[in-house]
Amino acid sequence: MSELQINTTQNVKINFNAAGTGERLLAYGIDWAIKIGYFLILSQGFGVFNGMDRWSQIAINTVLSFPVMFYTLALESTLQGQTLGKKALKIKVVKIDGYQASLSDYVVRWFFRIVDVFIFGLGFFVMILNKKSQRLGDMAAGTAVISLKENININHTILEELKADYVPTYPNVIKLSDNDARIIKETFTQAKATRDYQTLIRLRKKLVEVVGIKDVKQKTDMEFIDVILKDYNFYTQNM
C-alpha cells in the first residue's frame, strides 16, 4: 500500500494511504454484485422483462437500467466519495488538492469508466503502474482513492476534555469527519509546539471556509481552532 501525500491549497501537507488495487477491485466486485441482485429482483420478482412486445421491452429495460448505469455516480456524489462497495472496504474518493470532490469530479470519473473498465480493463493496468494508484478517471478528475483504515485508536487522537457545562459555538463542525478532526489536531499541536503562526493562520482560514463560519467569535487563531476541536467532540459524542 503506497503513501499518498495531498498538498492542500493552503500548503498543508496531509498523508494518506492510497487504497490498494485489490481493495478497489473487491469494492468494484461488491458493487457489481449489488447491481446483479437488482436485476435479478426485477426479472424474477416482477417479471418486467417478459411478456412484452420487443420495443416496449427495450423501453422498459432502458428505464430500469438507469439505477445501474448511474449507481456509482449517484452514490459517490451523495455519500462523499463512497459507493456501498467502497464503504464496506473503508476506502473513498478525495481530491488531490485536499478538498472534498465535487459533482463535476465524480461525473468525470464516472465517464472515464467507459475507458477504464470496458476497454480491456485499461484502468486496472494504469493503477498498477501509477504511484498514487490512480486510474485514468482519477487522473482526469484530479482525484485519488484513499484508505480510511487507521492503525491507531482514533479516540486517543481527537478526544478533547470537555467540562460538564460546556456550551458549543459552531454547530457546523459536524461537516467534518473523524479523519478531518485528527488531521486538524495533529497540525494544530505541531504548529503550537514549533510556534508556527503562519500554519495556524492558514489552518484557521481553511476551517472558516470548509465549515462555513461567517462570524468568528474568538480573537486568536489558537482559541478558534481549540474551540472547533472541542465543538466537534461535543457534537459527535452526543449524536
Side-chain angles (χ1 to χ4, degrees):
M1 184 180 292
S2 60
E3 187 173 86
L4 173 65
Q5 186 177 81
I6 292 178
N7 295 313
T8 74
T9 54
Q10 299 298 334
N11 294 321
V12 177
K13 294 182 179 180
I14 307 171
N15 293 317
F16 293 104
N17 286 323
T21 304
E23 289 177 304
R24 295 184 66 170
L25 286 175
L26 185 54
Y28 179 77
I30 292 173
D31 289 329
W32 258 106
I34 292 170
K35 296 173 186 178
I36 292 171
Y38 166 80
F39 276 127
L40 289 175
I41 290 173
L42 287 180
S43 61
Q44 296 181 9
F46 300 97
V48 293
F49 299 114
N50 302 311
M52 296 181 180
D53 64 84
R54 182 168 177 269
W55 291 108
S56 295
Q57 187 174 347
I58 290 174
I60 292 294
N61 288 355
T62 300
V63 172
L64 293 177
S65 295
F66 283 167
V68 171
M69 292 171 57
F70 296 102
Y71 169 89
T72 301
L73 176 60
L75 288 187
E76 285 186 351
S77 59
T78 55
L79 297 180
Q80 297 185 327
Q82 291 183 299
T83 59
L84 297 180
K86 288 185 177 70
K87 208 169 187 65
L89 271 294
K90 295 184 179 180
I91 60 178
K92 71 175 291 185
V93 179
V94 296
K95 285 287 286 182
I96 293 296
D97 62 8
Y99 279 98
Q100 177 67 45
S102 65
L103 177 59
S104 60
D105 298 319
Y106 296 129
V107 170
V108 171
R109 295 185 79 256
W110 173 78
F111 180 78
F112 269 83
R113 288 171 70 86
I114 299 172
V115 177
D116 284 322
V117 178
F118 300 111
I119 299 182
F120 306 113
L122 183 60
F124 172 75
F125 299 102
V126 173
M127 280 192 293
I128 292 176
L129 298 174
N130 188 279
K131 291 182 179 180
K132 297 178 181 178
S133 297
Q134 292 173 294
R135 61 179 177 85
L136 293 176
D138 287 315
M139 295 179 186
T143 59
V145 179
I146 63 169
S147 173
L148 300 178
K149 298 182 181 75
E150 297 292 343
N151 296 321
I152 55 177
N153 187 338
I154 199 164
N155 287 329
H156 291 165
T157 61
I158 67 173
L159 190 64
E160 292 287 326
E161 186 176 350
L162 302 178
K163 294 181 180 178
D165 59 349
Y166 181 79
V167 178
T169 307
Y170 305 111
N172 280 1
V173 293
I174 58 173
K175 293 181 179 180
L176 301 172
S177 66
D178 281 353
N179 201 47
D180 294 331
R182 178 182 63 81
I183 294 167
I184 293 165
K185 185 166 184 178
E186 287 178 356
T187 305
F188 180 46
T189 301
Q190 183 176 359
K192 281 198 304 181
T194 58
R195 297 185 180 181
D196 185 354
Y197 300 115
Q198 289 300 313
T199 294
L200 291 173
I201 292 171
R202 291 195 294 267
L203 184 56
R204 174 176 178 158
K205 288 180 179 179
K206 185 71 177 287
L207 284 170
V208 169
E209 177 186 349
V210 172
V211 178
I213 298 172
K214 296 182 179 179
D215 181 20
V216 177
K217 303 182 184 302
Q218 288 71 36
K219 292 182 179 180
T220 70
D221 300 321
M222 287 189 184
E223 289 174 351
F224 171 73
I225 299 168
D226 185 58
V227 168
I228 287 290
L229 290 169
K230 283 184 167 60
D231 282 4
Y232 179 80
N233 275 262
F234 176 86
Y235 284 112
T236 54
Q237 289 175 29
N238 289 279
M239 291 178 73

